[in-house]
Structure formats: structure tokens, C-alpha cells
Amino acid sequence: MRKTFLSLLMISSFFAQAQVKPTPASERLKSIEIRKQLSTESPANKTAFRNIGPTIQSGRVVDMDVNPADPTEFYVAYATGGLWQTTNNGMSFTPIFDSEDIIGIGDIAVNWKTREIWVGTGEVNSSRSTYAGLGVYKSADNGKTWNWMGLPESHHIGEIKLHSTDPNTAWVAVLGHLYSPNKERGIYKTTDGGKTWKHTLYIDENTGAVDLDINPSNSNELYAGMWYRTRTAWNFEESGKSGGIFKSTDGGETWQKVSVEGAGFPTGDGVGRIGLAIYPKNPNIVYAVVDNNELRPATARAANNATADTGAYTLNTFQGITKEQFAALDDKKLNSFLRSPRYRLPAEYTAAFVKEGVASGKYNPNVIWDYLYDANAAITAAAVKGCELYRSDDGGKTWKKTHNDPINIYSSYGYYFGKVFVSPLDENKVVLTGVDLLMSTDGGKKFSSIDGPSVHSDHHAFWFSGTKEGHVINGNDGGLNMSYDNGKNWSNLNSPAVGQFYAIEVDMATPYNVYGGLQDNGTWYGSSKNIENVGWHSNGNYAYKSINGGDGMQVQVDWRDNRTVYSGSQFGNYNRQLIGAPATGERGPRGTMVKPNRALGESALRFNWQSPIVLSRHNQDVFYFGSNKFHRSLNKGENSVAMSGDLTTNPQQGDVPFGTLSTMSESPKRFGLIYTGSDDGMIHVTKDGGYSWTNINGKLPKGLYVSRVVASKFKESRVYVTLNGYRNDYFNALVYVSDDYGSTWKQIAKDLPYESVNVLREDPVNENILYIGTDGGLYVSMNGGNSCVMWNKGLPYSIPVHDIAIQSRDNEIVLGTHGRSLYVASLSEIQKAAK
């Protein structure tokens, strides 16, 4: 949201409610020793996890570094999947960063002369699944051992550049905290190999360095892209006047802003994320891509709204419309809008019906805007200029926009992309990364898509060969692709299991299947017995099957047939479908939509990014859905009824959906005993299926995201709650239990390291065994939460565990990790050790 629309009252009231401060680096660093203690001689580590894939959809790539002397060797860094090396041109990869205390990466740099690898942890893409790093790491033996080089408050690192001749000199672009202001932002320089750092470029506590490039023939000359951005649980500021391009001519010791007024580059509040690329053969040529958040001119906005007779209606058409203007709307175009796949209003809301309602005064003229608009629409409907490319031919003194037509590569989501790459062989061959992958061969005047049918969308990294024309590598949300003809044909290099799971579920088939929703890779399911191999390439039958697209979210499976599946994508767009048969028996190509509706004219429902759904195990025709209200269906989601009022604090809205239910749980021991938790810290219970509700926050910390509420299978009155401060940069582990339906709470698992907690599950046979998934791994308590141990045998040393599923019949645990796909292990040894 633009800063002019941000409510200071909303900011102050929320932080007064949250009552937490960002976890300082000193405490996060203590977690390193705590983790070692909890892992050393852990009885849980008698049992090893095994990875069951999937690999086909891969995960988000943030950077690559290719050996200039032998391009069949290169490194690829994943946002939360670690660092991998290939020496056979991507036919196989080996992980080399799995032993370290953090697995999320922002950027890598390799000194190919000395074979030193530098890793900057914490990606800069600023999304909901962007994890904070711990600073810089360096290895001199190809990842066998690593040394931590400091900068723990950096959190998110955009770029590392190495001196061309001095291996001890390097520069790091630090973006800083994602959800809180901090002074450790900007450019840092080391001249002693990372032992000490000098903070050479600082603007303010909300403006950090997102990109950095260096003249390959003169290491004294550097350019930095500075970006003002703030993010809270409810609002994102993507731009600010303190951002811009800075240049140094003395090795990064001092900096001057070159994107000044009159230089040709955008200035002011609209300056968003910036990406930089120097042309190596002529370093005076510099490209800069900017996410320009200035509003488009009024004529362009009108064209975008498309209210003329020749265009279709958009959501913006209905903002601020008068009664007379609504009456004049074209019925055919209005019906087309109301039935569009994006909005899918209920069938009874025809153009004639809505027009009559507005004319009679039943509805106000803004009724369609009010019905469809939510916080997410504040971003998608924003008529901003978006992606713009500028070029300087005089070393940054002046800049000129390269194109006349809008590029439209990421609309208002530039904060997630914003990189430019120039071929070392051709100053006019430029690539921009965004939702699409665009290439220009005329210096940015015109662009063409080089995306292909085998290439995933949402691109973040690109590499041009400096010796072979047409040889390129592309990194995106779906992994890695390589081409030898400038993108006409692409190969997939997706052998690592690096999927970013949000949520998982299991069924009761034999063998049982695992279902899961992944970041930007839809929902998949496959056998728990899967062992990844390339044999399926010959028969075309991969072990996992895709259910739906988008960002895959929560999944529920009807255990009566193990075929009826509820799944979907972000903001509650879920469906019910039958799997495993050619004929689905459901309406439409994606099954039956189960997202709750409201009546036209009623207040808007708010849906979490990962809207919670629950299928009652007492009667699996009963389906629960969480918006900001609790909805119940008695016929498998065909129709649902709101059984509550607003179960959140009903906060003022920004441009990120907020004030939504984030978790729900029904007691396995009693039908209708249901708990809900919200993203603004509210916890409620109903004992009568939703007819009456009681707030049970009590003395729990206020305002934190309720990541999980779990009704016990062993005792009816017992319930567990985990609170997550990730959206406050507060990483303390918070786990609570109540034995009186939430009337009073007791904190447990107090010995966990400073890692946000995502999930808790009970053991299927022993009520004293608890499994806790954090942003750093899996922990087990064998004494009801009095103490914990780490269970990481077979896992990377640090990996975000987003969800846990227990398959009680087979006595197995399944981990849905955000970066390394799925893992399975037996619970037998844990249960023996706990006796």
C-alpha cells in the first residue's frame, strides 16, 4: 500500500497489542548452542528420516554461480533449500550447506581462483515465505566445512561481490529486517576475508541494499540499489523516496547518489526495488530495472479500468461509481464480469438483479467493489507503472528509459522480482525476471518472452555464458532450466527435492499417500513409499500427481474412500474433487468450489493466505472452513453456513489480508468441540458445533499469529496452542497447553531454541510424546513438554518444518518441510525410548 494510505493509528495499536520486540541477534546466536545440546545424544536420533520427494516441481531458486572455465560446474542456491553443486552440467546435484545452522539463502559468490564460496543467508524477495538469515558464511573446501563471518542482524542479503584480484576484499548488500526497522542495512565491506566489516553505506532504518554490481575490470567502481520497504502483518510499503542508485569510485568506502533529480531515473515516493547490471566490455553501460510504484497517468488508468464500450469491466470499474453510472453499465459486459473465473459470483447475481438492487436502494452503487475488494485486491488492482528499465551510457551520470510501451512483467508485485541481466557478449541483449521471463535484443526497446512450456513462472535468477552465445541458465519458483538457444528450448534440472510445503495430510490407503500444498507449485499427492529415481522418464508415470495449481495450501482427505480431496490455492480458493479416476463426478474441471460466500451487501469475508479447513472425523460429510468467521457445511462443502461472528479483532485493513482465522481443530473425542486461532492472536472455543463461542486468550502473549491449535486425542479438555512471532521478527518459541478447555494456560517446551513454532502434533499412542516443528527443524518432547530433544537424523541440520502428519495405522510421522520436500520416519523407537 502507498504510504499516504497507511494508518499510523493502525500501526501503533497493533504493536501495542503485540507486546513483543524483534529477537536480537545475540539471542538467535544462542540457538546455535541450544540446537547442538538438543541434538547431541538425542534418543530420537536412533531413527533416521528418509526423503520421499517430490522433485518434479522443485522450489524457488535465488542465485547461481557458474565456473567460467568449465560451465558444466556450477552452484545453485534455493530460498529455503540450501546450496547445491553440480559437476555434470546439472544432471545431478550434491547439497553442500546442509550442516549449517541456517538453510535459507539470499545470494552466493564464488572466487573461482581460490575456490572460496561465500553465502549470504536470508533471501531478499520479501514474501510471506522469506526467512531471516544469520549473516555470511564462507567455505574454502567446497562446503566440507564452513566458517561464520558475522553480520547476524542482516537477516536478508541481496548480493555479495568479490574483489577481482584481492580475495580478502568483498562487499555485501544487506536489505535488513523484513518486519521491523533496523540500522544494520546498506553496504558492508571487508578487507580481511570477513573477519571484520565496515558499514560504508547507510540511509535509514527502513532503507536497505537489495542489489549490488561491480565493474569487473576496476573493483573500485560499484553500484548499489537501495530500496525503501516496510512490511507488517497487515501492510506492505513497496517504495519510498530514500531509495535509488548509489555509486562508489573508491572501492565502496564512500557513495554518491546518482539517481538524483534531473538524471533521468525515477525519484520520489514511487521508487521501489532496483536491480543493476554492468556490461563487462564497456562498464560505462549500466542497466537498472525499477519497480516504479508511481500511479499511471489518468488516461492510462482509465484504459486499464476498461469502462469504454470497447473494453471489459475490471474491479476498478466499480470503485466510486454513482447510481447513475451503475445504471448505464452494459448488461452484457457486466454479466461477463460477474461470471468471470476470477470472481465467480453466485449465479443469482445477474446484471439485471444487481442493477435492480442498486436502482431500488437495496444496494449502494459500490456494492460490487465492496463485495469483491479485499486487502489482496489493494495490490492487484493498483494502477502503478510497475517494471521499467533504464540505461546509462556514461557511468550512471544520466539515465534514459529504454522503452515506450509498458513492460507489464509483474504489475504491482515487483518486490518479489526486480533483477536485470546483460549478456557479456552483447550490450543490447538484456533479460528481465518477473512472472514471465523476458529478453530484449535491442537494448530494452522491445521484449519477448523466452518462457517455455517446460519452464515455471516467477523468475529470480539468470546467467549468460561469456563464451558460448545462446547458452543460458534460468532459476525460478519451479527450479532450474538450461538452454543453448536463448530460450527456444529448455531442459529441466530438477533432481533435488527442494519443494516448499505449506501443509500436508495423509490418507488411509495401502500404502498410504501423502498430500501437500506447495509454494507456487500447487497441490500434489503420492505414495509414502516413494523412492526418487529417474526411471519414470522412460514410462512417463511419475509417482506424484498434481491436483491443482496456484500456491498449494491446506488439504483434507475423506478416509472413507481415500479419493475425495479438499484442496486449493491461496486466500481460500478451495475445491472438492475425486482423484484416481478419469471421471471425477464433480462439477467443472477442478471439481466443486467449497469457498464460503456471503450475500451481496453483507460485510466482506477475509481469508488467510493459508485458509484453514477441517474435515470432521466424526462425520466426514461435515466440513469446516475458516475465513474471519467459522463456517460449517453438512454436505461436504456444497453449502456452508457462518456459525460465528468475527472471531478476530476485526482490525483496520492494509494491503495484506489480516484479521483472519489461521488454524482450526476439532476434538477427536467430542463432535462439535472446536477451537480456532487467528493471525491477530485471537483464540476461541465452541462446545456446541459453533452456536456459541468463548474467547480463551487469557494471559497468553497478545497479537501473535496463532500457528496451530490442537485439540488432544487423549483428554477431552486438553488443547495445545503454538504462537508464531515471525511477522514481528520475534523468533522465540512459544508453546502452551491447557487442561481445562483453554481457561488457563501453561507454557511448555521452554528449552527450545529461538525459532518460530509452526506446528505441534501428539504421538498416536503416548500422550506424553509431542512433536514440534519450527523454522529450524523438528523437536520431540517425551515428557509432556517439560523438555525437548532434536530429531534431525536424515534431515538437513536446519530446515523449516511447516507441517506434521501422523499416520497412526502405520505408526509413521511425515514432515512437510518448506524447502526440502517430504520426509517419513517410523515412531516405534521414539515410543520405546519414552516408556
Side-chain angles (χ1 to χ4, degrees):
M1 177 178 282
R2 308 290 82 75
K3 285 187 285 185
T4 52
F5 292 95
L6 191 61
S7 168
L8 295 177
L9 176 62
M10 181 171 63
I11 294 175
S12 60
S13 64
F14 181 79
F15 275 101
Q17 181 188 32
Q19 296 179 347
V20 296
K21 295 181 179 180
T23 304
S26 58
E27 292 190 5
R28 295 186 69 209
L29 292 173
K30 290 179 184 177
S31 293
I32 296 174
E33 291 304 316
I34 295 173
R35 287 166 60 84
K36 288 179 181 178
Q37 294 171 10
L38 297 183
S39 177
T40 303
E41 298 181 0
S42 166
N45 280 332
K46 293 180 180 179
T47 302
F49 281 92
R50 64 180 183 88
N51 189 278
I52 61 169
T55 61
I56 190 171
Q57 84 297 313
S58 195
R60 185 162 69 251
V61 172
V62 293
D63 196 23
M64 300 165 292
D65 208 309
V66 182
N67 187 340
D70 178 10
T72 65
E73 179 189 14
F74 56 90
Y75 298 89
V76 55
Y78 294 86
T80 51
L83 179 63
W84 299 67
Q85 181 194 24
T86 180
T87 56
N88 54 21
N89 211 31
M91 295 179 65
S92 64
F93 291 85
T94 302
I96 63 170
F97 199 59
D98 281 8
S99 61
E100 295 313 296
D101 303 296
I102 201 81
I103 202 168
I105 296 177
D107 191 66
I108 58 172
V110 180
N111 186 328
W112 291 99
K113 298 175 183 177
T114 64
R115 303 293 302 197
E116 286 183 316
I117 307 170
W118 298 66
V119 173
T121 59
E123 69 165 324
V124 296
N125 292 322
S126 299
S127 72
R128 293 170 178 84
S129 55
T130 294
Y131 287 91
L134 277 172
V136 177
Y137 291 76
K138 188 171 74 169
S139 175
D141 54 10
N142 205 53
K144 293 179 182 177
T145 59
W146 292 89
N147 292 312
W148 179 68
M149 310 310 296
L151 301 182
E153 289 286 8
S154 59
H155 280 209
H156 302 280
I157 290 177
E159 194 76 30
I160 299 176
K161 290 299 179 185
L162 307 181
H163 196 283
S164 59
T165 59
D166 179 5
N168 289 315
T169 298
W171 299 263
V172 176
V174 172
L175 186 57
H177 293 190
L178 177 56
Y179 284 99
S180 58
N182 74 304
K183 295 181 179 180
E184 295 81 5
R185 300 176 188 263
I187 301 299
Y188 284 83
K189 179 182 180 180
T190 180
T191 56
D192 55 12
K195 295 177 182 177
T196 61
W197 295 91
K198 183 179 181 181
H199 197 179
T200 65
L201 176 57
Y202 171 76
I203 296 177
D204 62 46
E205 59 186 10
N206 288 311
T207 306
V210 66
D211 204 6
L212 180 68
D213 207 1
I214 188 169
N215 182 342
S217 57
N218 179 7
S219 293
N220 284 322
E221 189 172 272
L222 301 101
Y223 295 84
M226 301 299 288
W227 180 24
Y228 174 96
R229 66 102 173 90
T230 69
R231 185 160 192 161
T232 62
W234 67 88
N235 197 80
F236 198 160
E237 290 182 280
E238 302 95 335
S239 63
K241 61 184 177 182
S242 57
I245 303 171
F246 289 72
K247 181 179 181 180
S248 175
T249 56
D250 56 7
E253 291 293 327
T254 61
W255 297 84
Q256 294 78 40
K257 190 172 186 177
V258 294
S259 60
V260 294
E261 200 74 38
F265 195 82
T267 58
D269 286 334
V271 177
R273 179 171 175 172
I274 294 171
L276 300 164
I278 298 173
Y279 178 56
K281 291 185 178 180
N282 180 1
N284 282 322
I285 298 175
V286 185
Y287 285 95
V289 62
V290 61
D291 176 29
N292 192 338
N293 280 261
E294 293 179 7
L295 292 178
R296 296 180 185 181
T299 53
R301 294 201 301 273
N304 187 57
N305 290 347
T307 55
D309 290 340
T310 56
Y313 294 147
T314 71
L315 180 57
N316 285 334
T317 304
F318 306 98
Q319 182 183 17
I321 195 170
T322 67
K323 189 174 183 179
E324 292 73 23
Q325 288 171 330
F326 200 100
L329 292 173
D330 181 85
D331 284 12
K332 184 176 180 180
K333 287 192 284 187
L334 180 54
N335 273 322
S336 178
F337 176 86
L338 296 173
R339 301 283 83 77
S340 65
R342 179 173 182 179
Y343 296 115
R344 287 190 291 263
L345 271 72
E348 63 265 28
Y349 298 141
T350 63
F353 179 91
V354 181
K355 277 190 167 184
E356 180 182 348
V358 172
S360 67
K362 179 181 179 181
Y363 304 133
N364 69 59
N366 284 305
V367 64
I368 292 178
W369 171 268
D370 293 338
Y371 187 84
L372 295 174
Y373 182 85
D374 59 21
N376 190 56
I379 296 180
T380 58
V384 300
K385 292 180 179 179
C387 178
E388 292 182 334
L389 181 65
Y390 291 79
R391 172 170 164 162
S392 175
D393 290 294
D394 54 13
K397 294 177 182 177
T398 60
W399 300 85
K400 184 178 180 180
K401 192 166 73 168
T402 65
H403 52 97
N404 294 318
D405 298 329
I407 294 177
N408 292 329
I409 194 173
Y410 41 66
S411 182
S412 53
Y413 287 99
Y415 64 85
Y416 192 58
F417 306 106
K419 299 282 283 185
V420 58
F421 302 85
V422 59
S423 168
L425 303 177
D426 184 350
E427 68 182 72
N428 292 312
K429 181 172 286 187
V430 183
V431 161
L432 295 177
T433 56
V435 177
D436 201 354
L437 184 65
L438 301 183
M439 178 180 284
S440 173
T441 57
D442 58 8
K445 296 177 182 177
K446 299 291 182 180
F447 285 90
S448 299
S449 173
I450 58 171
D451 210 336
S454 64
V455 180
H456 195 283
S457 61
D458 291 1
H459 305 270
H460 303 285
F462 199 83
W463 172 82
F464 280 107
S465 171
T467 57
K468 184 175 178 61
E469 165 60 28
H471 181 196
V472 295
I473 306 176
N474 167 43
N476 51 59
D477 275 11
L480 208 61
N481 301 93
M482 182 182 291
S483 174
Y484 282 91
D485 52 16
N486 286 312
K488 293 180 181 177
N489 298 279
W490 293 97
S491 61
N492 286 78
L493 309 178
N494 285 354
S495 59
V498 287
Q500 296 172 297
F501 277 88
Y502 283 117
I504 61 172
E505 183 57 284
V506 295
D507 65 15
M508 288 295 173
T510 303
Y512 70 89
N513 295 296
V514 182
Y515 304 72
L518 299 107
Q519 189 276 325
D520 207 39
N521 280 282
T523 306
W524 295 71
Y525 76 99
S527 172
S528 58
K529 304 301 181 185
N530 178 56
I531 299 175
E532 285 290 323
N533 64 76
V534 297
W536 68 274
H537 289 181
S538 60
N539 58 37
N541 186 25
Y542 186 57
Y544 284 83
K545 308 298 179 186
S546 175
I547 300 176
N548 55 254
D551 284 272
M553 296 295 158
Q554 296 197 4
V555 186
Q556 291 286 281
V557 185
D558 193 326
W559 290 346
R560 295 173 298 188
D561 61 9
N562 298 313
R563 290 180 54 211
T564 302
V565 180
Y566 301 77
S567 66
S569 56
Q570 59 268 43
F571 301 122
N573 291 301
Y574 292 96
N575 62 68
R576 185 191 74 238
Q577 60 182 304
L578 289 175
I579 63 170
T584 66
E586 300 282 3
R587 296 189 298 274
R590 293 186 178 180
T592 301
M593 293 298 296
V594 296
K595 184 178 183 178
N597 287 312
R598 72 185 198 280
L600 202 66
E602 290 185 355
S603 60
L605 298 174
R606 300 187 299 272
F607 294 91
N608 194 276
W609 174 255
Q610 190 183 154
S611 296
I613 55 174
V614 172
L615 195 61
S616 176
R617 296 307 177 189
H618 300 281
N619 179 348
Q620 295 183 79
D621 286 340
V622 178
F623 174 71
Y624 305 123
F625 201 118
S627 61
N628 56 312
K629 301 178 180 180
F630 174 83
H631 305 264
R632 185 188 70 186
S633 171
L634 301 179
N635 54 7
K636 301 194 291 186
E638 290 283 343
N639 307 104
S640 61
V641 176
M643 300 294 295
S644 76
D646 196 327
L647 295 175
T648 76
T649 62
N650 191 22
Q652 186 174 347
Q653 293 297 293
D655 61 10
V656 178
F658 185 61
T660 66
L661 294 187
S662 52
T663 178
M664 301 189 302
S665 179
E666 182 177 40
S667 170
K669 300 185 74 64
R670 175 178 166 182
F671 178 67
L673 172 56
I674 303 163
Y675 298 87
T676 67
S678 72
D679 58 6
D680 57 352
M682 300 299 287
I683 306 169
H684 286 85
V685 62
T686 178
K687 299 178 182 179
D688 53 15
Y691 290 97
S692 61
W693 293 86
T694 302
N695 177 272
I696 54 173
N697 284 67
K699 295 182 179 180
L700 293 174
K702 307 298 182 184
L704 295 178
Y705 191 103
V706 184
S707 57
R708 202 71 55 162
V709 57
V710 180
S712 175
K713 66 183 69 175
F714 295 103
K715 184 178 180 181
E716 181 184 306
S717 62
R718 181 175 296 162
V719 59
Y720 298 91
V721 161
T722 63
L723 302 179
N724 188 311
Y726 164 86
R727 288 156 187 81
N728 306 83
D729 287 328
Y730 176 77
F731 304 114
N732 297 36
L734 301 176
V735 184
Y736 299 87
V737 64
S738 172
D739 278 317
D740 52 14
Y741 302 98
S743 295
T744 60
W745 295 96
K746 174 186 175 183
Q747 186 175 1
I748 59 174
K750 295 181 181 180
D751 57 345
L752 288 175
Y754 296 96
E755 298 167 358
S756 299
V757 179
N758 300 312
V759 59
L760 178 148
R761 298 292 183 202
E762 292 180 307
D763 186 80
V765 298
N766 188 331
E767 66 178 310
N768 290 316
I769 303 177
L770 302 174
Y771 305 98
I772 302 170
T774 76
D775 283 349
L778 177 68
Y779 299 86
V780 183
S781 175
M782 301 182 188
N783 50 21
N786 289 330
S787 61
C788 298
V789 295
M790 195 172 191
W791 187 7
N792 60 348
K793 188 174 183 179
L795 302 175
Y797 185 62
S798 172
I799 185 67
V801 176
H802 258 225
D803 203 1
I804 298 171
I806 304 293
Q807 220 289 354
S808 56
R809 186 199 63 203
D810 290 41
N811 201 31
E812 288 189 335
I813 184 172
V814 185
L815 305 184
T817 74
H818 202 76
R820 294 298 281 270
S821 298
L822 301 171
Y823 288 87
V824 172
S826 170
L827 297 175
S828 298
E829 290 300 320
I830 296 258
Q831 291 160 349
K832 290 178 183 177
K835 287 183 178 180

